[in-house]
Amino acid sequence: MAKVGPQRAGGSCRARGQRRPPTWEISDSDTEADADADSEAVKRSRDPAEERRAAAEALRQLRPEQALRRLTVLVDPAILEDAGADILMEALGTLGCEYRIEPQHLSRSLRWSRVKPEPCPNSVPAEVLAAGEQELLLLLEPEEFLQGVFQLTQIRGPVCSVPWVSPESPTCPHLAVIGLDAYLWSREPSAQKMRQPESPGVAHAEVVVGWPEVEEALVLLQLWANQDVLLVASWQELSQHVCAFTKALAQRPFKQCQESTAFSFCTARRWVAGERVTSDDTGLRGAWWRQVRQFNRVSPAVADAVVTAFPSPRLLQQAYLACGTEHERLALLADLPVKVGEGARPRKVGPDLSRRICLFLTSTNPDLLLDLSS
């Protein structure tokens, strides 16, 4: 006991004389907890079900009835000076979208604005969601439109010389003229003459502007400036066109999303419905069985007979390649026995289904009709 005491005391003095620097200890439990948290976060971020739910919600936001609520029709105050503008405003009020009275760059024009959905689907390009920002409808008086027709058909100047086509504008507005036909017919032939601007050698020359010149101007606008002109008889007809155009803008992102999305059963080896086939071929037999069942007039027992003899379509294709003649390939499955209940007459797959499956797996004609009885 006497020897033990000094050793402890000496050890204690050495400990006080040589201080160890402070250290941090990381326990295994903390490391595992952090790793589990990270793995759970990654799992949640890559969860296919969560991704599908997010994509479905984003697609729901793009549906026309939802997208229509995010559209805003901006109406220039100069349009309200016309007595028939009340019909247009009433139609916009019953449409289901928002409309506001705001001064526009071009007087007597309508512009569409869109609020992007949240969340915004990645499958829809940004330019599609912003497509409404580029649409502009300019209302013209009949006399103003005829002045532009005169410049196009008589002066033969460039399209940018027409007053309602601005070269600085990033967009080419759609034109709408109300009551042009009635305006032309109400005028006397002498009153339909448009005065040509003074030029060297020609002063105060007059030419008649009628329907032939109007039709020629419409063709020139379409070919030169890719600009269409809407000729309507009344404000009621104009309101119907504006409402139809607004609904088309609301449907555009949804249609674009559907066109740009690949088939759901061809993405990432996942099936929306039916049998799922993994990379190790698990589930292939069930998927092949369901595919055979999709042929007309094929019972589960008949599908069982085909799948039992050839567990995969690849094996059946190899069997077709081993056949020597076309007749042998078409009749390859005809004599396969089909299991039936006790007391029932024995059955076979038959030549009709054998021919259809053979054509389905070997033909390269996409328009070939497999079922002759359909």
Side-chain angles (χ1 to χ4, degrees):
M1 296 296 294
K3 293 181 179 180
V4 174
Q7 290 179 355
R8 290 183 177 178
S12 176
C13 292
R14 287 194 300 268
R16 287 195 298 267
Q18 300 177 358
R19 291 183 175 273
R20 296 172 55 189
T23 58
W24 295 94
E25 294 183 0
I26 303 177
S27 63
D28 295 339
S29 59
D30 295 338
T31 306
E32 294 174 358
D34 295 340
D36 293 340
D38 295 340
S39 62
E40 286 295 328
V42 173
K43 183 178 180 180
R44 285 194 301 268
S45 62
R46 298 180 179 178
D47 186 11
E50 187 67 26
E51 292 178 0
R52 287 195 296 269
R53 283 192 294 267
E57 176 61 23
L59 187 62
R60 189 187 69 84
Q61 294 292 331
L62 289 180
R63 290 190 176 277
E65 60 275 9
Q66 298 290 335
L68 190 60
R69 300 189 182 99
R70 293 190 299 273
L71 270 180
T72 303
V73 184
L74 305 177
V75 184
D76 188 78
I79 296 180
L80 303 180
E81 298 177 2
D82 196 295
D86 294 340
I87 301 176
L88 175 62
M89 305 310 293
E90 183 180 356
L92 292 177
T94 59
L95 185 60
C97 67
E98 181 184 2
Y99 66 92
R100 294 200 303 264
I101 309 298
E102 290 185 6
Q104 301 300 312
H105 178 67
L106 296 177
S107 180
R108 291 177 56 84
S109 64
L110 291 89
R111 185 169 61 87
W112 284 262
S113 177
R114 187 193 307 273
V115 178
K116 294 183 180 180
E118 292 295 341
C120 183
N122 298 328
S123 56
V124 181
E127 58 270 15
V128 176
L129 295 176
E133 305 289 342
Q134 307 297 327
E135 301 295 345
L136 190 70
L137 180 64
L138 178 62
L139 304 184
L140 297 176
E141 295 289 348
E143 185 176 358
E144 181 183 5
F145 177 70
L146 291 178
Q147 291 177 356
V149 169
F150 172 76
Q151 295 184 29
L152 281 173
T153 58
Q154 303 300 328
I155 299 179
R156 299 293 182 182
V159 179
C160 60
S161 64
V162 180
W164 18 267
V165 179
S166 176
E168 293 83 8
S169 177
T171 61
C172 190
H174 306 278
L175 303 179
V177 185
I178 303 177
L180 178 63
D181 186 59
Y183 179 83
L184 288 176
W185 284 105
S186 65
R187 309 278 291 183
E188 294 293 333
S190 59
Q192 295 182 17
K193 298 177 181 180
M194 307 297 298
R195 186 174 299 277
Q196 181 179 3
E198 296 184 4
S199 60
V202 179
H204 301 288
E206 292 183 347
V207 292
V208 176
V209 177
W211 273 114
E213 291 75 21
V214 170
E215 294 176 353
E216 181 182 356
L218 295 179
V219 175
L220 292 175
L221 285 173
Q222 186 67 44
L223 295 179
W224 288 358
N226 194 22
Q227 187 174 44
D228 57 330
V229 181
L230 175 68
L231 302 179
V232 293
S234 62
W235 278 89
Q236 180 70 29
E237 189 175 347
L238 176 67
S239 302
Q240 294 176 357
H241 173 79
V242 171
C243 292
F245 188 76
T246 305
K247 292 179 180 179
L249 282 181
Q251 296 174 359
R252 182 183 298 179
F254 182 75
K255 291 183 177 180
Q256 181 70 21
C257 183
Q258 286 186 323
E259 293 174 359
S260 61
T261 303
F263 291 112
S264 57
F265 52 80
C266 295
T267 57
R269 297 182 181 178
R270 291 195 295 268
W271 293 76
V272 171
E275 206 71 35
R276 179 177 178 179
V277 181
T278 60
S279 57
D280 59 349
D281 293 340
T282 302
L284 177 60
R285 183 185 178 93
W288 172 229
W289 184 88
R290 290 172 65 93
Q291 189 173 18
V292 175
R293 282 276 289 138
Q294 289 179 356
F295 287 91
N296 291 336
R297 303 180 303 280
V298 175
S299 63
V302 175
D304 288 336
V306 175
V307 173
T308 301
F310 300 95
S312 70
R314 181 61 179 170
L315 295 177
L316 184 54
Q317 286 180 329
Q318 293 175 354
Y320 285 139
L321 293 176
C323 295
T325 62
E326 180 69 16
H327 177 74
E328 186 180 354
R329 280 193 293 270
L330 293 176
L332 180 62
L333 305 177
D335 294 332
L336 291 180
V338 178
K339 292 183 178 181
V340 294
E342 296 182 359
R345 187 176 59 182
R347 293 181 52 195
K348 295 182 180 180
V349 171
D352 178 62
L353 179 60
S354 178
R355 181 192 63 84
R356 285 186 283 157
I357 295 179
C358 177
L359 294 178
F360 175 73
L361 293 178
T362 60
S363 177
T364 58
N365 181 13
D367 299 323
L368 180 63
L369 183 63
L370 299 180
D371 195 352
L372 298 179
S373 62
S374 61

